[in-house]
C-alpha cells in the first residue's frame, strides 16, 4: 500500500459523526444496531445480533482481520459460528470469499426491514474477547461484521451489551443508558467501537485517579475474587503519579478521557492491548496483592498508556488499519522498533518516575534486557528490523529454538537503542536536553480528542536532529537495519553503569520464576526449564523450553523440548539443578543430566563450572549517572 493512499484514507478518518451509512455506492439512513448478549460469557459464549439497514443488492460483510495493536491477522474468524442472515423473517444465503476467509458475500433481497445478522462468538481463554466465571473482556472486533465498501469508515454503529446479572463494567465507550443488565452505548464509528473494549465482572472496583479533573482517568479492576480488586492506597498513588508524569513528559494528551482496564485472573494469559482512550490489561489474580506478582505486573499499564501517544496518535504510516476502518489489508510493521520499542522504553521510564518500579528494579530490567539480547544467537543472522517486519508471525513463534530464530526483540532491544539515544542527547547537551524533549515535540501538542498523525523513519530522524544534531540515520542503521553481533550496550555505558554477571538472582528473575515456574539457567547452562504445565502434558517438570546455541547445554547435545529427568543421579528438581551448578563450580567435575527426548532416555555430560550466573548493572564511578537521572520524577506529586 502506498503512502499516498494511506494518507488519503487517514484524511477520511478525521471525518467524525457522519449521519449516513454507505454500503457500496448507495447511502442508507441510520446506524447498524449491534446487540451483544454476554449473559453466557462464563461458558465462553457470546451471542451477537446485528440489524443492517442494507439496500437490496450485493453486500460484502467483513470480519476484522488485521487487528490494531496486534500487528497481525489475528481476527479470530474460526470462532465466529452459527452465522445466519435473514430479511423480514426470510433466510438470506451467504458465501465465504474463498481467497479471503474473513469476508462473506450475500445478495440482499428487497424488503421492508433491515438485514438481520445473527451469530455466536466462541471464545477460548486465550482470546482477546473472553471470560472466566467471574469476569469478561469484550473486544468489539471479535463480535462484529461490518459492510465492506469504499467508504466503510463512515459506518456508524448503535451498540448494546447485556451482561451476566449484577456484573459491573468499565469502558471508554460513552454510555447512553443502563436498563437492568443491558447497557446502551452512544452511537460510535467502527473505529471508535473497535478501539473501545469493555471490562466487566462480578467483583469490580473503579478508582478515580484524577477526581474533579478534565480529562478524567479511571482504573477499572475486575478479578476472579473480591480480594483481587482491592487495590492498596499506595498503589493507587503510583497510578495517579503515572498520569501526572505522563502529562509532564508529553505536555499534551490525545484523548477526552482515559480508562485503564485491568482483568485479574490466573486463567487468562497476561497481556496488554493499547487504545486511544483505554487499555486492555490482563494480569495474575494476585497482581495487586502479592509482592512477586506485582513485580511481574511491573510496567504493563504504563506501557499501554504510553501507546495512547506513541502508537495510537503518532503511528507508522504502515500501521494505519483502524484509521481507515478497513481492517482487511495487510500492514507494514517494520517501524515497530519505534511503535513498540520506544513505548517499551518510555513505559519503563514512567514506571520508574511514578514509583511502579523502584530504581533498583528499573535497572534490573535494563540489565536483563541487555544480557538476554547480547546472549542471543539469532542476532548473528537477523537484524532487529527484520523482527519488526516479521512481527505478524513472530508473535505466534514457538519457544523452541526461539533464541536462534529471534522473537519480538523489537521490544527489549529497542529499549536499549532508545536508552542509548537518550544518553547521547544528555551527553551532547551537557544534561540540558534529553529524549523527553524529542517526545514532547514529536508526541505532544496540540492535544485534544483522539486523532492520528502518521510518520516514517525519516520523520523520527529529523525530529531527533531538531533536538541535538547527530548522525541519527547512521545510529539507527547500525543498530536496527544491519546485523549487529552484539546488543546495543552503549546506553548502559554512556549512562554510567556496566553490565556485569554474578551468582545473585535479580529480584525480577526470582519473582518471575515464582509466578511462572519457568527457571532461568540462561546465562549459566544456557537453558530455561519449565516446571508444571509443560508442552506435552500437565504436571511434567523439567521441560527444556529453549537452549542457546553454543552454550554449555547445547555443546553437550541438549535441545529444546527435551525433559530433564535426573541431575547427577537424582530425580530432577529446579533446586537440585542449582545444587549441581554449585557442586561443579570451580572443580573439574562435570554435571550429568539424564534427559528424556520424546521416548528415549540418555545421559548428557555438561562441562560447566561457572555456578549460577545472572546479569546486573554495576555503577561506573568515573561517569555521570544518567540512568538514575532518567528515572527521576519530573513532577513533585506526592
Ligand atoms: Zn505495546
Amino acid at each position: 500500500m502506498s503512502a499516498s493512499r494511506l494518507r488519503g484514507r487517514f484524511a477520511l478518518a478525521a471525518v467524525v459523526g457522519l449521519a449516513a451509512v454507505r454500503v457500496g455506492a448507495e447511502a442508507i439512513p441510520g446506524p447498524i444496531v449491534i446487540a451483544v448478549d454476554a449473559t453466557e460469557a462464563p461458558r465462553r459464549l457470546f451471542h451477537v445480533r446485528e440489524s443492517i439497514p442494507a439496500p437490496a443488492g450485493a453486500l460484502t460483510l467483513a470480519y476484522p482481520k488485521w487487528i490494531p495493536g496486534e500487528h497481525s491477522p489475528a481476527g479470530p474468524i474460526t470462532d465466529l459460528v452459527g452465522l445466519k442472515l435473514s430479511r423480514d423473517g426470510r433466510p438470506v444465503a451467504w458465501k465465504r470469499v474463498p481467497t479471503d476467509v474473513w469476508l462473506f458475500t450475500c445478495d440482499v433481497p428487497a424488503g421492508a426491514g433491515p438485514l438481520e445478522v445473527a451469530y455466536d462468538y466462541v471464545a477460548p481463554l486465550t482470546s482477546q474477547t473472553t471470560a472466566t466465571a467471574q469476569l469478561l473482556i469484550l473486544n468489539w472486533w471479535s463480535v462484529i461484521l461490518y459492510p465492506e465498501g469504499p467508504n466503510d469508515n463512515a459506518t456508524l454503529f448503535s451498540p448494546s451489551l447485556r451482561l451476566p446479572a449484577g456484573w459491573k463494567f468499565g469502558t471508554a465507550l460513552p454510555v447512553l443508558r443502563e436498563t437492568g443488565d443491558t447497557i446502551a452505548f452512544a452511537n460510535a464509528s467502527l473505529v471508535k467501537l473497535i478501539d473501545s473494549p469493555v471490562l466487566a465482572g462480578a467483583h469490580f472496583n473503579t478508582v478515580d485517579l484524577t477526581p474533579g479533573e478534565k480529562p478524567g482517568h479511571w482504573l477499572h479492576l475486575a478479578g476472579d475474587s473480591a480480594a483481587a480488586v482491592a487495590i492498596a492506597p499506595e498503589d493507587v498513588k503510583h497510578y495517579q503519579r503515572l498520569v501526572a508524569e505522563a502529562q509532564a513528559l508529553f505536555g499534551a494528551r490525545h484523548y477526552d478521557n482515559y480508562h485503564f482496564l485491568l482483568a485479574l485472573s490466573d486463567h487468562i494469559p497476561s497481556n496488554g492491548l493499547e487504545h486511544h482512550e483505554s487499555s486492555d490489561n490482563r494480569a495474575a489474580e494476585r497482581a495487586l496483592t502479592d509482592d512477586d506478582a506485582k513485580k511481574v505486573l511491573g510496567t504493563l499499564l504504563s506501557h499501554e498508556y504510553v501507546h495512547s501517544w506513541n502508537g495510537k496518535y503518532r503511528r507508522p504510516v504502515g500501521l494505519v488499519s483502524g484509521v481507515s476502518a478497513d481492517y482487511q489489508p495487510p500492514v507494514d510493521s517494520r517501524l515497530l522498533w519505534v511503535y513498540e520499542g520506544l513505548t517499551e522504553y518510555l513505559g519503563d521510564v514512567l514506571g520508574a518516575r511514578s514509583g511502579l518500579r523502584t530504581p533498583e528494579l528499573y535497572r534490573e530490567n535494563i540489565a536483563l534486557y541487555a544480557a538476554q539480547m547480547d546472549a542471543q544467537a539469532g542476532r548473528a543472522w537477523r537484524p532487529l528490523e527484520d523482527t519488526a517486519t516479521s512481527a505478524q508471525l513472530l508473535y505466534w513463534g514457538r519457544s523452541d529454538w526461539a533464541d536462534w530464530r529471534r522473537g519480538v526483540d523489537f521490544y527489549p532491544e529497542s529499549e536499549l537503542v532508545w536508552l542509548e539515544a537518550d544518553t547521547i542527547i544528555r551527553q551532547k547537551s551537557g544534561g540540558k536536553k534529553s529524549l523527553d524533549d524529542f517526545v514532547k515535540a514529536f508526541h505532544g501538542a496540540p492535544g485534544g480528542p483522539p486523532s492520528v498523525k502518521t510518520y516514517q523513519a525519516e520523520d523520527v530522524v529529523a525530529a531527533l536532529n531538531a533536538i541535538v544534531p547527530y548522525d541519527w540515520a547512521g545510529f539507527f542503521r547500525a543498530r536496527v537495519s544491519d546485523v549487529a553481533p552484539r546488543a546495543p550496550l552503549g546506553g548502559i555505558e554512556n549512562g554510567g553503569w556496566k553490565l556485569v554477571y554474578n551468582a545473585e538472582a535479580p529480584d525480577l528473575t526470582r519473582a518471575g520464576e515464582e509466578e511462572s515456574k519457568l527457571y532461568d539457567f540462561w546465562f549459566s547452562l544456557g537453558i530455561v526449564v519449565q516446571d508444571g504445565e509443560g508442552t506435552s502434558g500437565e504436571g511434567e517438570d523439567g521441560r527444556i523450553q529453549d537452549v542457546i546455541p553454543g552454550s554449555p547445554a547445547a555443546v553437550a547435545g541438549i535441545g529444546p523440548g527435551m525433559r530433564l529427568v535426573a541431575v547427577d543421579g537424582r530425580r530432577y528438581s529446579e533446586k537440585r539443578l542449582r545444587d549441581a551448578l554449585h557442586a561443579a563450580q570451580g572443580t573439574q567435575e562435570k554435571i550429568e543430566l539424564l534427559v528424556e527426548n520424546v521416548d528415549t532416555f540418555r545421559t548428557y555430560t555438561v562441562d560447566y563450572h561457572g555456578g549460577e550466573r545472572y546479569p546486573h548493572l554495576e555503577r561506573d564511578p568515573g561517569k555521570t549517572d544518567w540512568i538514575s537521572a532518567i528515572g527521576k520524577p519530573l513532577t513533585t506529586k506526592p
Side-chain angles (χ1 to χ4, degrees):
M1 196 182 298
S2 76
S4 58
R5 178 167 174 239
L6 291 169
R7 290 226 164 93
R9 294 189 74 88
F10 161 57
L12 185 68
V15 181
V16 182
L18 293 176
V21 177
R22 293 182 69 89
V23 180
E26 224 177 313
I28 50 168
I32 293 172
V33 174
I34 176 165
V36 175
D37 177 354
T39 52
E40 292 201 273
R43 57 180 187 135
R44 264 78 68 197
L45 192 56
F46 294 78
H47 307 295
V48 188
R49 298 285 180 276
E50 291 183 53
S51 302
I52 304 176
L59 175 68
T60 299
L61 292 172
Y63 187 72
K65 177 179 182 181
W66 288 83
I67 307 305
E70 297 272 297
H71 318 307
S72 59
I77 184 65
T78 48
D79 291 326
L80 183 159
V81 302
L83 178 64
K84 294 242 164 110
L85 311 185
S86 63
R87 183 163 220 180
D88 299 333
R90 290 190 303 277
V92 175
W94 57 263
K95 262 201 184 321
R96 201 184 291 260
V97 174
T99 51
D100 187 345
V101 299
W102 282 259
L103 300 179
F104 301 92
T105 55
C106 65
D107 198 8
V108 181
L115 178 73
E116 301 291 349
V117 182
Y119 53 92
D120 284 349
Y121 176 65
V122 290
L125 284 163
T126 49
S127 173
Q128 295 289 21
T129 289
T130 192
T132 67
Q134 305 291 345
L135 63 88
L136 71 83
I137 309 143
L138 177 78
N139 273 284
W140 294 92
W141 45 262
S142 39
V143 290
I144 201 162
L145 286 168
Y146 68 95
E148 217 204 16
N151 198 10
D152 48 17
N153 183 58
T155 308
L156 270 186
F157 286 82
S158 171
S160 68
L161 172 63
R162 189 172 165 210
L163 295 173
W167 285 24
K168 297 193 174 69
F169 71 96
T171 178
L173 208 54
V175 174
L176 212 55
R177 65 181 168 275
E178 291 179 56
T179 315
D181 294 307
T182 301
I183 314 143
F185 297 101
N187 284 1
S189 69
L190 184 59
V191 171
K192 171 90 174 173
L193 195 57
I194 283 182
D195 198 47
S196 306
V198 182
L199 174 70
H203 309 292
F204 206 87
N205 183 12
T206 293
V207 182
D208 188 347
L209 295 174
T210 50
E213 289 179 27
K214 260 187 171 317
H217 300 79
W218 291 271
L219 173 59
H220 303 283
L221 308 168
D224 275 342
S225 64
V229 302
I231 186 170
E234 61 263 33
D235 290 323
V236 170
K237 277 210 172 66
H238 293 151
Y239 288 105
Q240 289 177 321
R241 280 176 56 183
L242 172 61
V243 171
E245 286 293 330
Q247 173 64 11
L249 172 64
F250 294 108
R253 293 147 166 156
H254 309 280
Y255 50 77
D256 289 327
N257 290 294
Y258 194 89
H259 299 258
F260 296 92
L261 313 178
L262 177 55
L264 297 151
S265 171
D266 294 334
H267 308 293
I268 295 174
S270 293
N271 200 1
L273 188 60
E274 64 274 18
H275 302 282
H276 279 280
E277 301 192 284
S278 64
S279 52
D280 163 4
N281 306 278
R282 298 141 190 236
E285 182 177 333
R286 289 176 169 77
L288 295 177
T289 51
D290 175 274
D291 276 349
D292 284 337
K294 204 182 287 181
K295 281 180 187 136
V296 172
L297 170 66
T299 55
L300 175 65
L301 272 66
S302 59
H303 175 107
E304 303 306 338
Y305 187 38
V306 166
H307 270 316
S308 181
W309 290 266
N310 186 49
K312 288 298 166 184
Y313 169 52
R314 292 312 305 264
R315 199 175 310 178
V317 73
L319 285 170
V320 287
S321 69
V323 175
S324 63
D326 187 347
Y327 296 91
Q328 309 318 118
V331 301
D332 170 351
S333 61
R334 79 185 80 169
L335 282 176
L336 281 177
W337 59 273
V338 186
Y339 181 121
E340 292 295 356
L342 179 59
T343 299
E344 188 71 2
Y345 178 69
L346 295 175
D348 284 341
V349 168
L350 286 178
R353 290 180 185 173
S354 61
L356 285 169
R357 270 202 183 134
T358 62
E360 292 73 27
L361 291 177
Y362 173 64
R363 289 197 302 271
E364 271 190 6
N365 185 63
I366 294 171
L368 282 165
Y369 279 1
Q372 283 162 1
M373 293 300 104
D374 203 38
Q376 198 177 50
R379 59 182 318 112
W381 70 273
R382 188 168 206 172
L384 182 64
E385 184 178 53
D386 187 57
T387 70
T389 303
S390 310
Q392 58 183 276
L393 300 171
L394 284 181
Y395 274 111
W396 321 108
R398 300 186 314 276
S399 60
D400 56 293
W401 295 118
D403 188 71
W404 183 217
R405 182 187 304 111
R406 296 199 82 166
V408 288
D409 295 354
F410 51 85
Y411 292 82
E413 187 156 325
S414 304
E415 169 149 350
L416 304 174
V417 173
W418 286 106
L419 172 64
E420 190 172 358
D422 201 345
T423 57
I424 288 171
I425 296 171
R426 286 170 194 258
Q427 280 182 331
K428 290 202 168 293
S429 66
K432 288 192 182 66
K433 291 189 173 166
S434 71
L435 197 71
D436 292 8
D437 296 286
F438 160 77
V439 162
K440 198 165 273 171
F442 198 75
H443 299 87
S451 61
V452 180
K453 195 174 169 190
T454 57
Y455 64 84
Q456 314 206 45
E458 302 80 73
D459 302 322
V460 175
V461 166
L464 282 165
N465 271 317
I467 305 301
V468 161
Y470 186 67
D471 179 17
W472 292 111
F475 173 86
F476 289 122
R477 193 182 315 115
R479 288 157 187 78
V480 177
S481 311
D482 294 349
V483 169
R486 294 292 306 274
L489 304 179
I492 293 172
E493 287 152 18
N494 296 343
W497 295 76
K498 288 183 285 194
L499 180 64
V500 298
Y501 294 83
N502 62 37
E504 196 186 324
D507 248 15
L508 280 180
T509 300
R510 200 194 39 72
E513 288 181 339
E514 201 58 44
E515 287 298 293
S516 66
K517 308 295 173 208
L518 184 64
Y519 296 104
D520 184 344
F521 295 90
W522 203 234
F523 308 103
S524 50
L525 295 172
I527 55 176
V528 279
V529 185
Q530 175 74 67
D531 279 2
E533 294 174 18
T535 48
S536 69
E538 292 224 338
E540 278 197 315
D541 288 350
R543 179 74 49 193
I544 295 168
Q545 198 192 60
D546 202 15
V547 176
I548 304 180
S551 67
V555 169
I558 290 170
M562 297 182 185
R563 193 171 71 82
L564 292 172
V565 179
V567 181
D568 288 340
R570 295 187 71 195
R571 185 188 302 280
Y572 159 82
S573 74
E574 159 261 331
K575 287 193 172 54
R576 282 187 182 148
L577 188 54
R578 289 188 206 284
D579 290 345
L581 257 63
H582 297 155
Q585 187 166 8
T587 73
Q588 301 293 312
E589 298 299 313
K590 294 178 178 163
I591 301 167
E592 295 218 319
L593 300 176
L594 176 61
V595 169
E596 181 184 12
N597 182 11
V598 195
D599 62 359
T600 303
F601 294 80
R602 192 186 136 184
T603 298
Y604 293 84
T605 306
V606 183
D607 196 0
Y608 174 71
H609 310 280
E612 290 197 68
R613 199 164 165 269
Y614 304 96
H616 298 272
L617 293 194
E618 189 179 272
R619 182 78 180 96
D620 180 349
K623 290 182 175 172
T624 306
D625 183 1
W626 293 122
I627 287 185
S628 296
I630 288 167
K632 288 240 162 66
L634 300 178
T635 70
T636 52
K637 201 171 173 74

